[in-house]
Amino acid sequence: MSELNIVLIQAASALEPGDNRERLASSLELLAAGNDPMPELVVFPEAFQRDFGQPGSDISAYAEDLDGDFVRKVGELASKHGTTVVAGMFERSEDPERPYNTLVVVDRDGLRATYRKIHLYDSFGYRESERLLAGRIEPVLVDVGGFRVGLMTCYDLRFPELSRRLTEQGAELLVVPAAWVAGPRKVDHWRTLVTARAIENTAYVAAAGQPGPRYAGNSMVVSPMGDLCSEPAGEDEAIVRATISREVLEESRTQNPSLANRRF
């Protein structure tokens, strides 16, 4: 496939997991009922299975296994609508008090990949590591519609090493679900870092955030040359549509062969 249609769902997750499963269903039904073709890839934000709650909250009671209600529901919907879905959840870990912050990639054939967030948000006054367990330092990629997709979550965006490792292993599209906490300069940081990860890796970046007022919103898809592939969302709930192109990817890497020119 030379093109891939992507939709980012900028929507807030609730504290009740059942409500979020219903929101998954209604969002995909809305896409299916529209005039545009069903996208090959639909990206929901980080922690869409259940919101973080108040800062420092114990979320262990809401963690699920990978064959639990959330992943089963995502699988049903992906199969029904013939698409691939990326969404964030809290996954039970070997530490009963600290689950993983996990992305699942599910298509019509079931669970394709999981990525457990490596960089926990111990920053800006938060201590995510007190409530969550970090994943193994291991890049995770998956094929979607003929494109190699690398997975990152929120705070990972601040660490260029992960995106570079993913690109070295063939990533052409970096998908970044997030719950990017709002605050002074935070939208500027988000937009700058999303764009930087695209330019420095000559890769597409699709970054789906939760909306305001708690989070920064501004979901966006950026091309390998740093161009916006569609208007970014603001702070409100939104749907962002974009099409990525292999022709644009290859042209960008020819015009700007920075990956080939690296000295480190």
Side-chain angles (χ1 to χ4, degrees), residues 66-88:
L66 293 174
D67 60 356
D69 291 340
F70 184 74
V71 176
R72 282 201 300 270
K73 185 65 173 181
V74 177
E76 292 171 7
L77 294 167
S79 178
K80 176 180 179 181
H81 297 292
T83 189
T84 298
V85 176
V86 179

Side-chain angles (χ1 to χ4, degrees), residues 30-193:
L30 180 64
L31 294 178
N35 294 325
D36 295 307
M38 193 69 185
E40 288 88 17
L41 178 62
V42 182
V43 183
F44 288 85
E46 175 188 20
F48 203 75
Q49 171 241 353
R50 198 262 184 186
D51 185 59
F52 286 92
Q54 292 299 314
S57 297
D58 182 356
I59 51 179
S60 59
Y62 299 96
E64 300 182 16
D65 294 322
L66 293 174
D67 60 356
D69 291 340
F70 184 74
V71 176
R72 282 201 300 270
K73 185 65 173 181
V74 177
E76 292 171 7
L77 294 167
S79 178
K80 176 180 179 181
H81 297 292
T83 189
T84 298
V85 176
V86 179
M89 63 173 289
F90 297 121
E91 177 198 357
R92 289 194 181 102
S93 75
E94 57 269 31
D95 182 340
E97 296 183 353
R98 293 191 301 159
Y100 292 117
N101 185 341
T102 299
L103 298 181
V104 294
V105 183
V106 186
D107 66 11
R108 68 188 72 191
D109 296 319
L111 183 64
R112 289 281 311 285
T114 61
Y115 166 67
R116 295 164 175 168
K117 187 177 180 183
I118 293 172
H119 299 99
L120 299 182
Y121 187 51
D122 290 355
S123 185
F124 291 92
Y126 289 79
R127 290 288 301 171
E128 198 171 70
S129 63
E130 293 179 354
R131 293 301 185 183
L132 293 167
L133 191 64
R136 293 177 57 189
I137 303 175
E138 182 178 1
V140 176
L141 295 98
V142 61
D143 289 322
V144 179
F147 285 81
R148 290 287 282 163
V149 178
L151 302 176
M152 302 168 61
T153 303
C154 200
Y155 191 49
D156 284 332
L157 191 63
R158 292 185 181 271
F159 300 88
E161 301 87 358
L162 178 56
S163 62
R164 181 50 55 88
R165 287 278 299 276
L166 289 163
T167 307
E168 287 174 341
Q169 295 187 24
E172 299 161 314
L173 166 65
L174 302 172
V175 169
V176 191
W180 195 265
V181 179
R185 298 178 294 277
K186 295 296 287 296
V187 170
D188 289 339
H189 287 194
W190 166 258
R191 297 186 67 169
T192 298
L193 291 167

